[in-house]
Amino acid sequence: MTRARRAAFAAAALVAAACLAALGIWQVERRAWKHELVAAVDARIHAPPVAAPGPGRWPTINAKDDAYRRVSATGRFLHDRETLVQAVTERGAGYWVLTPLETPDFTLLVNRGFVPKDRKATAARATGNPPGEVEVTGLLRVTEPGGAFLRTNDPAANRWYSRDVAAIAKARGLGETAPYFVDADGAPNRGGYPVGGLTIVRFPDNHLVYALTWFTLCALSLFFAWRLWRIRD
């Protein structure tokens, strides 16, 4: 290999090393951001509940600032307009029961909890559907539009794979509906169903592994460039 070609390869290796180092630094920064997010979410989960955000706050609701905030609301469940969303939980396969809660100011979708497949029919868990005014406490969740992986919600066929607030509100003919839903807490329902309090809060942290991978490749690129410069004609 000529000196000129070695110099070209060495220069390319140095450019690659710089890019790999930048990727490693980016992952370190992402890891710091993730830790800040986890700390913020943990604080929200354990904070006293606040009133569910009303229409004036809806335009600013977002996952970064509001997801998993403890909220409460008082109203009346519209059990005849509930929606079953397919779910897989620690209790097995079944459905999330999303029921509109009609408050004095707006309608709020509440994920009341999980029911197994043999409790899909409303009649099989009718004792768990309270009439009259109720107070709900739970975690604010952002909407899940579209569906799940490789599965698209089909409102016409009443098949739901994600908790798409706007689509469910439209399908059920609801009025002014909050753009988020609430995962109800673990307060027991009569008859045992639905089972609330099953929210899983998980933030996978692979950023350190990714950072080490990029920094290792950076080091290899630098070593390759150094070896090329060391070769004598």
Side-chain angles (χ1 to χ4, degrees):
M1 184 184 296
T2 65
R3 181 186 294 272
R5 293 193 65 183
R6 288 201 305 273
F9 279 120
L14 290 173
V15 171
C19 293
L20 292 166
L23 287 171
I25 293 170
W26 176 64
Q27 288 296 335
V28 171
E29 292 173 345
R30 288 281 295 174
R31 186 168 186 263
W33 169 83
K34 179 68 70 62
H35 285 186
E36 291 176 1
L37 175 62
V38 171
V41 167
D42 186 67
R44 292 175 205 156
I45 290 173
H46 295 98
V50 298
R57 277 270 287 116
W58 292 353
T60 62
I61 295 293
N62 65 85
K64 177 179 178 293
D65 298 320
D66 300 292
Y68 303 105
R69 188 181 304 282
R70 285 190 74 205
V71 299
S72 63
T74 301
R76 182 176 63 89
F77 278 128
L78 305 179
H79 295 293
D80 60 328
R81 301 193 195 184
E82 72 176 21
T83 299
L84 299 180
V85 179
Q86 292 197 24
V88 177
T89 73
E90 60 187 25
R91 291 172 169 261
Y95 304 90
W96 297 122
V97 179
L98 267 70
T99 308
L101 180 72
E102 191 175 59
T103 77
D105 301 314
F106 59 92
T107 300
L108 172 65
L109 276 182
V110 177
N111 175 17
R112 299 186 60 220
F114 171 81
V115 293
K117 292 182 178 180
D118 61 355
R119 299 280 182 159
K120 178 180 181 180
T122 304
R125 47 184 167 81
T127 57
N129 292 346
E133 188 173 86
V134 297
E135 182 178 7
V136 174
T137 300
L139 301 179
L140 185 152
R141 304 293 306 279
V142 295
T143 184
E144 301 168 346
F149 180 66
L150 297 180
R151 290 184 171 185
T152 303
N153 292 329
D154 187 352
N158 199 28
R159 285 197 292 267
W160 302 91
Y161 303 100
S162 74
R163 292 161 291 192
D164 185 335
V165 172
I168 292 174
K170 181 179 179 180
R172 296 295 176 260
L174 304 179
E176 189 173 33
T177 305
Y180 58 87
F181 65 95
V182 172
D183 275 350
D185 62 16
N189 290 300
R190 291 183 60 188
Y193 295 101
V195 180
L198 298 182
T199 305
I200 296 176
V201 182
R202 181 184 297 135
F203 295 94
D205 187 1
N206 299 319
H207 299 296
L208 181 59
V209 174
Y210 296 150
L212 291 175
T213 299
W214 295 128
F215 286 139
T216 299
L217 292 173
C218 172
L220 290 173
S221 296
L222 289 172
F223 177 75
F224 179 66
W226 176 77
R227 289 290 295 170
L228 286 173
W229 283 112
R230 292 274 297 173
I231 296 176
R232 305 290 184 183
D233 288 333

